[in-house]
Amino acid sequence: MICFACSEEQTLMKETAAKLVQGAIADAAHQMDETGRIPDDAVRKFRELGTLLAAIPEEYGGYGMGNSPIMNSIILEELAAGDMGFAIAATLPALFLMPVMDCGTDAQKARHLADFAADPDGACGTLAINEPRFRFDPYDLATTAVRKNGSYILNGTKCFVPLAETARRIMIAAALDGTNGLFIVDRNNPGLTVGAREKNLGLNSLATHPITLTDCEIPADDRLGGDAGCDYDRLLQRTWTAIAAIGTGICRASYEYAKNYAKEREQFGEAIASRQSIAFMIAEMAYEVDAMRLMTWKAASALEAGRDAQREAYLARIYAGEMAMKLTDYGVQVLGGHGYIREHPVERYYRNGRGIAILEGMAIA
Amino acid sequence: MINLETPDYLASMRSSMNNLAAGVLRPIARKYDAAEHEYPAELDMFRGMQILGRPKKKKADAPKPDGGNGKPKKGINLSTVATIEEMCWGDAGLLLSIPNAGLGNAAIAAVATDEQLERFGGKWAAMAITEPGSGSDSGSITTTARRDGGEWVLNGEKIFVTCADRCDIVVVWATVDRSAGKSGIKSFIVEKGTPGFKLEHLEHKLGIRASDTGTFVLDECRIPFDNILGSAEVKKDTEGFKGVMKTFDNTRPMVASMATGIARASLDFTREKLDESGATIDYKRNLNNVGSLEKDFYLMEAHLEAMRLLVWRAAWMADTEQFNNVEASMAKAKAGRQGTLITQKCCELLGPLGFSKEHLAEKWMRDSKIMDIFEGTGQIQHLIIARNVLEMSGKDLK
């Protein structure tokens, strides 16, 4: 039955994630952005919740409680309300393992899921979809895979690959005979080069790297899903839903900060919130954040029902892309000159918000 | 547990309502836009249907509405807004002309006594709030009701009354004590034909022309004492007025759903033309790599989805007996404004087809504009939302 309210379990997880963010991220986020480092402790605290292990089937060492795109969306929003980079870093193993769970062969599942279950804190995998070029489209990849004897040969350049340097394996999205596939490459493969950490507009707390693939040869068995390939559509639907959840979190943080500021800041002898020009921006932020969340949950509901979520995930993502920019812009504007100073987080939300319409495959729902 | 999948019963209801709208309303949409104020006789078929969840006459032995099993039908708000969207996809002006489904009927359903329901439940009831000097500030109305023995005597002027010509009765807002401010405002049922109650004229409007919007003059108009809705007592606080305003928590999502239906009609027509021109809508395309028309289309469809979800949430909250005052305003604020923008943009994308009366797109643009105005303008909705989320009073945030 249709329901717009969280269950007890969902509320509990939401509150747990919020509490974690409040304790380990909220006060540190500015410093994380300035220094480019996310405290290991914070990531470990999130991993200890075992959300990913819970989704992994028992036969591979997990708890076999099933995966919930809705729960993942609720969690991502909370984490991103603290810091976007933290949301991506904390949930990163899922970005690599969920596609394996969805489309991996039995052998791939046995290897990668069991590896993770045996050592959940160890280095895992990451995902490389983005390419550094004008008109980039995840459905029109310039990175290619070609079958040769018992191997695939990969060529191309990727960017914004989260934590590539410390990953054990990197899942590469590449075009193969007119379709799109995913290929698992060992970090130490001689055909793969991880470039120096990128300097970007936002997402500064998170280390992202470019990757170059030069005649990078991998065994045919390392194509995700084997000869059958993978469900690339579903992967994008899940990552689009996730990025919409992250956008919701960023916008909510900007909205709440601007709202509180507008009540405290006095000009002309009264709180600036008492002027409609400010109050109406706050009102718009309030309902647009709700709309973003509902769009995200709509897509997540379709995913959870196991049905094709192409339309819902696409719309949630493009809406989040539009609104992330509009609302984080409002956030800076409400604070005026102070919003431009880095001590206030709204400028960080603004820079990170630009990523929502651009970045592909940074998290998964 | 969060689940925004459309339930099967709602999906099949939407589909049958859409058939009805396509078969009955859409074909006569242009006719009654041109023949402003003429009664759409085709709508007589709806007289016996309970299309907008309006109250049926209560049976004497029916349980009270506040008794356990006398509760409204499950999910009535959600199915009502879903129905409204489909009907407005057919035609908004005609939806507003459906017999016995006026705003007054909603007010009567909410507060009437058994005896009043018996007398008025089956009648077509319009709602008269606005006055020439009192629009958004509905607490400032000047129409008076004076008690004289067993009667009320009403004096004043009411404008922008929907269904003014076709209704049987009108729910009139009037003050029994101007010095008491909002607390003095009560609503009264005035029957057509009552001496001193005159339909002065009908308005000529930008859109929803099928709907007969009119002005009433009340001049020493005498009605029975029992025609007052709710208590005649003037309390110190404004709880009574707040109670009246609560009706809006149910009606605002309905208006927001009207905006959603019209905007969807515009988008569907635009999509049809896009398809004919060979541009396929494919929810995989990167927005940087599509044409300008398609990009606008995708974004408008996303906004449409946002409108509907905000409407459905507000309705669902009403169905689950949660206080939805701010969510109702959010739905109205978003859908009212966005519906206006979508219908404008569709005309632009359609080019000459969007300016010609050969097609309905220009009409939808005219019709949609009212959705950001009546039942509280978009600005009033923003005020309500802002005061609520900022926790500021009307005094602190004017």
Side-chain angles (χ1 to χ4, degrees):
Chain A
M1 193 43 70
I2 192 162
C3 179
F4 287 78
C6 285
S7 64
E8 266 180 53
E9 192 194 352
Q10 288 167 336
T11 305
L12 186 66
M13 182 52 82
K14 180 180 150 70
E15 284 169 358
T16 305
K19 212 167 135 190
L20 194 154
V21 164
Q22 201 51 43
I25 297 299
D27 293 337
H30 173 62
Q31 207 51 29
M32 284 160 52
D33 190 67
E34 294 285 324
T35 60
R37 298 222 329 263
I38 296 168
D40 292 341
D41 190 44
V43 172
R44 191 165 51 244
K45 273 186 183 146
F46 175 74
R47 302 267 176 89
E48 276 168 7
L49 297 177
T51 52
L52 180 54
L53 269 180
I56 292 175
E58 277 177 290
E59 54 185 310
Y60 302 114
Y63 308 146
M65 292 163 77
N67 177 50
S68 166
I70 295 173
M71 188 70 103
N72 295 339
S73 301
I74 290 171
I75 293 169
L76 282 168
E77 178 188 330
E78 290 306 321
L79 302 184
D83 181 65
M84 181 180 181
F86 173 66
I88 294 169
T91 60
L92 192 68
L95 192 57
F96 177 81
L97 293 176
M98 287 286 180
V100 173
M101 248 187 284
D102 265 1
C103 327
T105 61
D106 288 348
Q108 286 166 345
K109 286 182 193 169
R111 184 171 174 208
H112 301 294
L113 299 180
D115 263 11
F116 174 78
D119 180 17
D121 290 327
C124 187
T126 187
L127 178 69
I129 293 187
N130 301 285
E131 295 172 351
R133 62 191 173 88
F134 187 57
R135 286 187 181 274
F136 165 70
D137 180 337
Y139 274 107
D140 180 24
L141 299 166
T143 301
T144 55
V146 177
R147 177 124 198 190
K148 192 178 161 193
N149 303 326
S151 307
Y152 286 100
I153 311 292
L154 304 177
N155 276 289
T157 313
K158 296 288 183 184
C159 62
F160 308 142
V161 185
L163 304 180
E165 198 147 67
T166 48
R168 258 174 94 183
R169 302 180 182 105
I170 302 175
M171 192 172 304
I172 309 277
L176 170 71
D177 298 333
T179 66
N180 301 296
L182 295 169
F183 301 84
I184 301 167
V185 184
D186 266 28
R187 164 75 179 78
N188 297 324
N189 188 308
L192 178 144
T193 315
V194 175
R197 179 170 173 166
E198 294 160 343
K199 291 175 178 163
N200 298 317
L201 166 69
L203 208 48
N204 291 347
S205 59
L206 183 75
T208 65
H209 294 265
I211 283 177
T212 310
L213 299 146
T214 314
D215 291 329
C216 177
E217 185 173 355
I218 60 164
D221 287 348
D222 284 341
R223 175 184 176 193
L224 187 68
D227 289 339
C230 67
D231 190 343
Y232 190 71
D233 286 349
R234 190 164 172 88
L235 171 73
L236 286 188
Q237 289 166 23
R238 293 183 65 184
T239 57
W240 285 345
T241 305
I243 201 81
I246 289 175
T248 307
I250 296 173
C251 289
R252 192 187 87 195
S254 185
Y255 155 64
E256 282 171 356
Y257 197 88
K259 181 178 74 174
N260 293 331
Y261 183 89
K263 284 185 72 173
E264 311 249 309
R265 171 75 175 170
E266 291 198 355
Q267 287 292 281
F268 307 105
E270 57 186 8
I272 60 170
S274 63
R275 310 271 166 157
Q276 290 189 354
S277 54
I278 297 295
F280 282 14
M281 287 168 85
I282 301 291
E284 190 174 346
M285 291 173 91
Y287 64 74
E288 290 296 5
V289 167
D290 281 7
M292 290 170 81
R293 182 182 304 111
L294 293 172
M295 300 274 287
T296 305
W297 286 356
K298 176 85 182 164
S301 296
L303 287 170
E304 192 136 328
R307 83 180 165 80
D308 180 45
Q310 194 73 49
R311 179 177 173 276
E312 289 83 357
Y314 180 85
L315 295 178
R317 193 275 167 85
I318 64 170
Y319 197 73
E322 281 280 296
M323 284 304 154
M325 207 63 260
K326 179 174 186 175
L327 303 187
T328 57
D329 181 1
Y330 277 19
V332 175
Q333 194 67 23
V334 167
L335 269 75
H338 296 276
Y340 204 72
I341 307 295
R342 293 216 298 275
E343 264 76 47
H344 289 286
V346 285
E347 65 82 29
R348 174 164 52 91
Y349 304 142
Y350 182 64
R351 288 183 286 110
N352 290 346
R354 183 63 284 174
I356 303 302
I358 297 171
L359 303 172
E360 296 288 347
M362 305 300 277
I364 193 159
Chain B
M1 196 178 82
I2 305 293
N3 178 11
L4 305 193
E5 288 281 272
T6 305
D8 288 343
Y9 84 88
L10 205 56
S12 67
M13 199 192 74
R14 289 179 79 189
S15 145
S16 57
M17 284 302 160
N18 189 263
N19 286 339
L20 192 65
V24 181
L25 303 188
R26 190 62 80 78
I28 56 170
R30 177 60 75 186
K31 176 181 168 189
Y32 289 102
D33 180 59
E36 190 167 17
H37 303 150
E38 190 180 309
Y39 175 67
E42 292 90 338
L43 299 184
D44 271 338
M45 64 178 283
F46 292 108
R47 252 177 218 279
M49 289 170 73
Q50 203 175 344
I51 199 134
L52 289 180
R54 68 198 150 79
K56 272 186 172 165
K57 260 211 282 194
K58 270 190 201 166
K59 291 194 185 97
D61 59 350
K64 299 268 186 210
D66 54 352
N69 49 4
K71 282 182 182 162
K73 214 172 109 191
K74 203 160 170 268
I76 186 74
N77 283 279
L78 186 53
S79 49
T80 300
V81 294
T83 299
I84 285 174
E85 180 186 329
E86 298 309 319
M87 299 301 268
C88 285
W89 178 90
D91 190 78
L94 293 170
L95 170 89
L96 291 167
S97 304
I98 286 179
N100 300 15
L103 276 177
N105 291 94
I108 291 171
V111 293
T113 63
D114 285 354
E115 184 263 343
Q116 284 170 332
L117 264 189
E118 191 65 37
R119 282 170 64 203
F120 304 118
K123 293 191 169 164
W124 190 343
M127 190 85 163
I129 304 173
T130 306
E131 298 176 359
S134 169
S136 295
D137 182 11
S138 51
S140 72
I141 57 170
T142 58
T143 296
T144 54
R146 178 180 88 240
R147 188 161 177 190
D148 183 14
E151 289 180 327
W152 293 101
V153 186
L154 275 60
N155 280 288
E157 183 180 353
K158 290 289 177 186
I159 63 171
F160 301 163
V161 180
T162 301
C163 303
D165 190 29
R166 299 158 195 165
C167 68
D168 307 310
I169 55 179
V170 183
V171 175
V172 175
W173 283 27
T175 172
V176 294
D177 178 3
R178 287 196 66 181
S179 68
K182 288 177 179 176
S183 320
I185 295 173
K186 305 284 172 188
S187 48
F188 302 86
I189 296 174
V190 183
E191 294 189 67
K192 281 277 189 66
T194 308
F197 187 49
K198 187 182 162 219
L199 174 57
E200 225 259 327
H201 69 271
L202 295 177
E203 302 289 351
H204 299 274
K205 304 190 299 299
L206 170 67
I208 53 163
R209 292 186 183 171
S211 175
D212 53 331
T213 310
T215 293
F216 284 103
V217 173
L218 298 126
D219 180 15
E220 289 293 299
C221 174
R222 289 178 171 270
I223 57 169
F225 180 80
D226 288 342
N227 280 23
I228 187 168
L229 282 172
S231 157
E233 187 190 348
V234 177
K235 295 202 178 112
K236 285 253 157 55
D237 57 35
T238 54
E239 286 310 308
F241 185 74
K242 281 182 185 158
V244 181
M245 295 304 279
K246 243 182 176 170
T247 318
F248 287 132
D249 297 344
N250 286 334
T251 55
R252 282 177 177 154
M254 292 184 197
V255 173
S257 206
M258 292 177 199
T260 310
I262 303 171
R264 201 180 102 215
S266 283
L267 277 176
D268 282 356
F269 181 65
T270 306
R271 182 176 188 146
E272 210 179 290
K273 295 298 154 192
L274 272 172
D275 284 344
E276 284 171 21
S277 76
T280 45
I281 295 302
D282 175 3
Y283 303 104
K284 291 180 177 174
R285 307 286 307 278
N286 189 292
L287 288 184
N288 283 344
N289 298 329
V290 297
S292 152
L293 265 75
E294 287 122 296
K295 180 172 181 179
D296 282 339
F297 184 90
Y298 287 120
L299 287 171
M300 285 193 288
E301 191 170 350
H303 279 287
L304 184 84
E305 192 84 5
M307 289 157 68
R308 183 183 300 119
L309 286 168
L310 287 171
V311 172
W312 283 25
R313 176 181 64 167
W316 176 84
M317 287 179 76
D319 282 338
T320 49
E321 291 169 357
Q322 300 174 63
F323 184 57
N324 70 343
N325 175 260
V326 69
E327 289 81 5
S329 283
M330 284 179 166
K332 174 75 166 65
K334 172 69 182 173
R337 182 64 190 148
Q338 202 67 51
T340 303
L341 295 177
I342 288 175
T343 51
Q344 289 168 6
K345 177 61 84 175
C346 282
C347 284
E348 181 194 338
L349 301 189
L350 288 161
L353 306 191
F355 204 69
S356 163
K357 289 208 168 190
E358 282 292 304
H359 305 283
L360 289 168
E362 64 80 26
K363 177 180 182 298
W364 291 323
M365 182 183 130
R366 288 185 286 111
D367 288 348
S368 185
K369 192 73 202 84
I370 193 62
M371 304 305 166
D372 204 23
I373 298 173
F374 67 8
E375 294 297 287
T377 61
Q379 288 63 39
I380 290 294
Q381 309 307 330
H382 278 78
L383 257 187
I384 293 169
I385 298 162
R387 282 175 188 159
N388 189 290
V389 300
L390 288 160
E391 297 171 86
M392 290 171 85
S393 67
K395 202 171 117 266
D396 293 333
L397 174 50
K398 284 184 182 140

